[in-house]
Amino acid sequence: NAGVTQTPKFQVLKTGQSMTLQCAQDMNHEYMSWYRQDPGMGLRLIHYSVGAGITDQGEVPNGYNVSRSTTEDFPLRLLSAAPSQTSVYFCASSYRTSSAHYEQYFGPGTRLTVT
Amino acid sequence: SQQGEEDPQALSIQEGENATMNCSYKTSINNLQWYRQNSGRGLVHLILIRSNEREKHSGRLRVTLDTSKKSSSLLITASRAADTASYFCATDKGTDKLIFGTGTRLQVFP
């Protein structure tokens, strides 16, 4: 299994441009999440999904859209990039274990710079 | 707002020494997990402890949880240079939504 894959690895955008960060998982996990990681701030949840067709907002959703048309894919769209969105973005997937907890599997990240 | 705060923010030790890092959180939880992040990589799950557990071991890792103080600690015994990474705690309330702490950067010198 490839696990969780993210593309691109690096991206530079100009302010106002839009783009989509891709995330895919081949583990048939129900749950997928997008986080951003900024220096000294840990990971903050942007959006998450509990299954195909179902998404919800996390802690910092403004400026981002998501959709979940299939179990495997969970793209993150930046509508109009701003310098404040310069960050490292991680996608994660998880499933509910038999002991009723969720262990997340992370992709390698996308490093985004907005100038 | 961050659920977990970790201290120290950074820790430097020699190989063979033990490393202890702490996590405090704000509200009641179902589970607390610890993750490791090597530089430039995604996070990797290390260990989970449930709210009704007080201590858990996995290899060189020992996790404690004190729900009355809303805190947890991660002990890495006999550390190795390969343990150099950032370590994050993450809490949940029984759903897939994890709230991560700010992390501890551990440097282990050979």
Side-chain angles (χ1 to χ4, degrees), chain A residues 6-76:
Chain A
Q6 291 183 239
T7 56
K9 284 188 167 40
F10 301 94
Q11 182 70 51
V12 179
L13 291 178
K14 293 189 189 305
T15 296
Q17 287 184 316
S18 63
M19 79 158 294
T20 299
L21 307 186
Q22 301 292 345
C23 174
Q25 52 98 2
D26 61 0
M27 298 174 282
N28 203 31
H29 288 171
E30 297 172 79
Y31 307 95
M32 296 187 76
S33 304
W34 274 103
Y35 296 88
R36 60 178 288 173
Q37 184 176 31
D38 301 293
M41 298 193 70
L43 278 78
R44 291 183 292 168
L45 182 64
I46 304 172
H47 285 286
Y48 67 102
S49 169
V50 300
I54 307 170
T55 63
D56 205 347
Q57 296 181 349
E59 184 185 353
V60 287
N62 291 342
Y64 308 94
N65 273 358
V66 291
S67 60
R68 183 102 180 268
S69 56
T70 66
T71 299
E72 294 78 19
D73 300 299
F74 191 42
L76 177 73

